Amino acid sequence: MKKWLELQQKLVPDLLEVLKRRHRILKVIHSLQPIGRRTLSQMVGLTERVVRRETDFLKEQGLLTFSSVGMNMTEEGSYVVREMEDVIREWFGLNQLEHQLEKQLGLNKVIVVAGNSLTQPWVKNDLGRSAVQQLKQWAEPNSVVSVAGGTTMEAVAQAMTPHPVLRTLLYVPARGGLGEKVEYQANTICSEMASRSGGQYRLLHVPDQLSKEAYASLLEDEQIKELIRIIRSARIVVHGIGEANTMATRRKASPQMLAKLKERQAVAEAFGYYFDRDGNIVYKIQTVGLRLEDIKQADHIIAVAGGEDKAEAILAFLKHGVHDCLITDEGAARQMLQYI
């Protein structure tokens, strides 16, 4: 395969660029259909003139349909995208990126999707689909899956589909999250995952940040105590990794807390813990839910995070030693290799 691809590039040097462009267009349409030309142009970073030419060609090939509400993928188009995946991964060097990161970071598994979610928001949909695919492979009937919050985890929830094993699972939030926007809260995401897959869920209705007194009081409640026991028994944990200042600001942290994070050089956040570049915990929120010691007891930990701006945060969290499977994108992967 590799030799054949090299010969193709020598004989038709512009073939790779044309293939990349058309594949990118098809992937965006597949993720966001129905979609208009103007929106598609913005998403793929091409002029409307180029997009018109390419989509007209793809329509002539029977891969797209046009309507008043936008463009949609045909069944043949979906088939072509699926069948091209292995070739695209080889040509884009994604397989090589995965092997490099597994070796450099000591991870059991790395999955890299094409693109950069920092500049191409639709790439998050691919991250979500890859996470769901991995969950299908690792999930065992009637087990507990603990799910964190965040924008990338929202994409995971949207990618869930009915599945024989997934519908037997119990989805629980990794932590309280009433300080977040509703759509990004772990409660919302785990209920959406359960709804789309046909599984069951339990919710944790507590604030994300608690005083010591409130924390101690909540732990006296029998229902909350039982739910926490279930959450901490999860065999699979699915979570995102955030950039420290971004996450603290989004959760409306106080000026004092923001100052502490800056002083302690925090670069990453996950599960209410903040980490510096070396993976040391430099700040911890008093929150109800999963602790790092609980996460380390899980059978599988799936981290889902992309975008070149997240590279430093991903590396910092992984240095703490909580790792199993990383699902990321090309932008973050290439940036991480530069930092290592």
Side-chain angles (χ1 to χ4, degrees):
M1 168 72 78
K2 186 175 181 180
K3 186 175 181 181
W4 180 82
L5 294 175
E6 290 173 352
L7 290 172
Q8 287 273 44
Q9 285 183 259
K10 288 182 181 295
L11 292 171
V12 193
D14 63 339
L15 177 64
L16 183 57
E17 286 307 312
V18 173
L19 181 62
K20 282 183 177 180
R21 183 168 64 246
R22 290 176 180 167
H23 178 262
R24 186 163 73 248
I25 288 171
L26 287 173
K27 289 284 282 187
V28 173
I29 295 173
H30 183 262
S31 296
L32 303 176
Q33 59 187 325
I35 182 172
R37 280 201 182 103
R38 181 170 297 178
T39 302
L40 178 60
S41 173
Q42 294 171 347
M43 288 291 181
V44 297
L46 297 170
T47 65
E48 287 190 51
R49 178 172 168 272
V50 172
V51 165
R52 182 180 299 107
R53 184 186 68 224
E54 295 291 5
T55 53
D56 284 346
F57 170 81
L58 295 170
K59 180 186 177 185
E60 290 172 6
Q61 300 304 307
L63 307 182
L64 299 179
T65 60
F66 295 175
S67 70
S68 59
V69 294
M71 293 172 281
N72 284 273
M73 193 87 74
T74 65
E75 187 175 334
E76 178 70 13
S78 297
Y79 171 79
V80 167
V81 169
R82 287 195 305 272
E83 291 300 306
M84 282 179 62
E85 202 61 38
D86 288 342
V87 175
I88 290 296
R89 292 185 63 78
E90 185 69 40
W91 277 23
F92 286 11
L94 301 184
N95 294 334
Q96 183 180 4
L97 277 176
E98 291 172 350
H99 296 322
Q100 284 181 286
L101 287 173
E102 285 170 358
K103 182 178 180 180
Q104 294 284 346
L105 302 176
L107 294 170
N108 294 327
K109 189 176 186 66
V110 173
I111 298 171
V112 177
V113 304
N116 179 2
S117 53
L118 174 64
T119 56
Q120 301 165 316
W122 56 271
V123 173
K124 280 192 178 181
N125 297 332
D126 287 340
L127 290 172
R129 279 191 287 270
S130 294
V132 172
Q133 188 60 37
Q134 193 59 53
L135 183 59
K136 288 177 180 177
Q137 292 181 26
W138 281 348
E140 296 183 1
N142 304 308
S143 55
V144 177
V145 177
S146 185
V147 180
T151 58
T152 305
M153 289 304 302
E154 182 190 22
V156 176
Q158 294 299 317
M160 292 290 282
T161 56
H163 183 271
V165 175
L166 297 189
R167 70 168 57 103
T168 72
L169 303 178
L170 174 63
Y171 301 87
V172 295
R175 56 193 282 197
L178 300 187
E180 286 257 33
K181 291 179 66 175
V182 172
E183 59 267 35
Y184 303 148
Q185 290 177 17
N187 275 336
T188 303
I189 289 167
C190 81
S191 64
E192 184 70 17
M193 290 177 72
S195 175
R196 288 177 176 270
S197 66
Q200 301 297 312
Y201 66 91
R202 296 280 298 274
L203 301 181
L204 182 61
H205 293 296
V206 297
D208 188 47
Q209 301 184 46
L210 297 166
S211 65
K212 290 183 179 180
E213 294 76 14
Y215 181 80
S217 177
L218 278 171
L219 292 185
E220 293 300 315
D221 184 277
E222 289 301 322
Q223 288 186 333
I224 290 180
K225 190 183 297 185
E226 172 62 12
L227 181 53
I228 292 172
R229 185 194 66 76
I230 294 171
I231 290 171
R232 291 177 178 174
S233 71
R235 303 322 304 160
I236 297 180
V237 178
V238 189
H239 70 95
I241 300 170
E243 191 278 321
N245 190 65
T246 300
M247 297 305 298
T249 302
R250 199 172 82 194
R251 289 172 178 157
K252 301 178 176 61
S254 67
Q256 293 81 2
M257 177 179 166
L258 290 173
K260 282 183 181 179
L261 292 176
K262 183 177 181 181
E263 178 188 346
R264 298 173 187 180
Q265 299 181 327
V267 299
E269 186 277 340
F271 304 104
Y273 296 83
Y274 287 83
F275 306 86
D276 65 16
R277 289 179 177 84
D278 296 320
N280 301 310
I281 297 172
V282 296
Y283 194 91
K284 179 184 179 300
I285 294 173
Q286 190 75 53
T287 182
V288 175
L290 277 183
R291 303 162 302 185
L292 284 181
E293 55 263 40
D294 304 315
I295 298 164
K296 292 176 182 178
Q297 298 304 312
D299 293 334
H300 297 292
I301 307 161
I302 304 174
V304 192
E308 62 181 326
D309 59 327
K310 287 277 191 76
E312 189 173 40
I314 295 170
L315 288 174
F317 177 74
L318 294 178
K319 284 178 182 177
H320 190 74
V322 182
H323 56 258
D324 186 18
C325 173
L326 171 66
I327 299 175
T328 190
D329 60 29
E330 190 178 359
R334 296 192 185 283
Q335 192 65 45
M336 278 189 279
L337 288 173
Q338 290 187 24
Y339 287 149
I340 296 174

